[in-house]
Amino acid sequence: MTELIIIKPDDMHLHLREGDILKYACKDTAKQFARAIVMPNLQAPIISVDQAEKYYLDIKKNVGIYNFEPLMTLFFTDLLNSDEIKKVSDSEIVHGIKLYPSGVTTNSDNGIDSIEKCFNIFELMQKHEVPLLIHGETNDKSVDIFDREKVFIDRHLSQIHSKFPDLRIVFEHISTKEAVDFVIGTNDKVGATITPQHILLDRNDLLSGGIKPHHYCLPILKRTEDRLAIIKAAVSGSQKFFLGTDSAPHFRHQKESSCGCAGIYSAVCAIELYASIFESENALDKLENFSSKFGAEFYKLPYNDLKIKLIKKEFQIPDKIKIGTEEIIPLFAGETLPWQLSEI
Ligand code: DOR
Ligand code: ZN
């Protein structure tokens, strides 16, 4: 196959940031994606529908010529109450609430300390059909970083799903075989996003032969067997698994540092990466479902009217993205991929 036309994809897990980065991140994404679920973990997190509406307008101002729809989320804090849940459920632009265990990743200090204390809100979310998006890692620092996802499933996620079986849950950026197995074992209310890095890289790519800060993200990259389980899920044709890049830009100096930030920027080459992966798995015919249909179905959105064309022509990922005097280094900077986006 040398040409592929698919419905313009949705990125169901994305960080667009604010300030200088926002402009670049919006354009890179809007070129490839028709919509994206936008994460709320700004330095001052988005905790109300009013704030989400302002952020929505900021994003819209920055998408340039593209017809792009940001799908907003709120950051789950102890301040969430029934009025706000009702507002979310009535809102046309807010599509879910993202729960971060406190301190588990970038800008998550205002997250949740006790999952059990959230049960009354989960009950309301279930009732009002508001999706719960979860960063599924324990923040218990005594747990080995490579086990934090598995422990979160055992301690919390299984319990949440069995207590609230009708609550729609997105298990974000799954990174382990245990997460794949958990999602497969749930009802149709539970889905999961899959990033390119958790398909393509394992912990050797992060730590062997020198530390690679641009491969550092959370959940941290795991073992080859985890990676293989995630690829298998992505190309399985199950509508539980859909595209979510977790593209998360940080300036180069913040990554190449004695205490580097977690986050991988893939928005410049995301759909090309997924196309290359699906091609190597002989599953290009499944790409459109994964990238453009299953996520929309989960969020009860119509499919996009727009299409994109991918052609089999080498594409060189930029070495860097310059933002004023700063730089962002994308995933696989300078490397070549077999597919590229083309004018339709
Ligand atoms: O690697 C990550 N970066 N994982 C997250 O959960 C957050 C994200 C960010 O905001 O930079
Ligand atoms: Zn994320």
Side-chain angles (χ1 to χ4, degrees), residues 13 15 39 98 100 173 246:
H13 184 127
H15 298 266
M39 291 297 128
K98 175 73 186 284
Y100 292 93
H173 40 52
D246 199 16

Side-chain angles (χ1 to χ4, degrees), residues 49 83-94 128 130:
V49 172
D83 288 350
E84 203 64 38
I85 299 295
K86 183 79 183 38
K87 271 181 142 179
V88 171
S89 129
D90 293 341
S91 167
E92 301 260 297
I93 63 150
V94 180
H128 291 283
V130 175

Side-chain angles (χ1 to χ4, degrees), residues 86-230:
K86 183 79 183 38
K87 271 181 142 179
V88 171
S89 129
D90 293 341
S91 167
E92 301 260 297
I93 63 150
V94 180
H95 294 267
I97 303 180
K98 175 73 186 284
L99 188 152
Y100 292 93
S102 66
V104 81
T105 188
T106 308
N107 296 343
S108 63
D109 290 351
N110 298 302
I112 291 302
D113 280 321
S114 160
I115 300 277
E116 286 71 24
K117 286 199 186 139
C118 304
F119 283 4
N120 57 337
I121 298 288
F122 294 164
E123 182 89 56
L124 290 167
M125 291 173 72
Q126 177 172 255
K127 179 170 158 215
H128 291 283
E129 298 193 37
V130 175
L132 173 68
L133 287 44
I134 299 191
H135 184 114
E137 288 191 287
T138 177
N139 59 0
D140 179 345
K141 296 280 187 289
S142 70
V143 175
D144 188 283
I145 189 168
F146 292 98
D147 296 332
R148 287 181 188 172
E149 186 171 270
K150 180 184 162 352
V151 169
F152 187 87
I153 298 170
D154 297 343
R155 285 190 193 166
H156 305 293
L157 199 49
S158 322
Q159 197 195 8
I160 299 171
H161 182 49
S162 54
K163 266 182 120 38
F164 306 99
D166 289 328
L167 175 62
R168 275 189 291 147
I169 298 176
V170 185
F171 192 171
E172 300 287 356
H173 40 52
I174 49 170
S175 70
T176 54
K177 181 173 181 317
E178 286 85 356
V180 171
D181 292 342
F182 171 79
V183 173
I184 290 172
T186 56
N187 66 19
D188 63 353
K189 305 289 187 216
V190 178
T193 49
I194 295 186
T195 75
Q197 60 266 27
H198 291 105
I199 292 182
L200 289 166
L201 301 171
D202 61 34
R203 61 203 210 175
N204 285 349
D205 298 299
L206 172 68
L207 296 169
S208 172
I211 192 160
K212 317 286 187 326
H214 298 290
H215 289 168
Y216 176 55
C217 63
L218 288 169
I220 199 159
L221 301 169
K222 306 292 191 311
R223 292 175 175 274
T224 299
E225 60 246 42
D226 296 301
R227 200 172 69 69
L228 295 177
I230 296 166

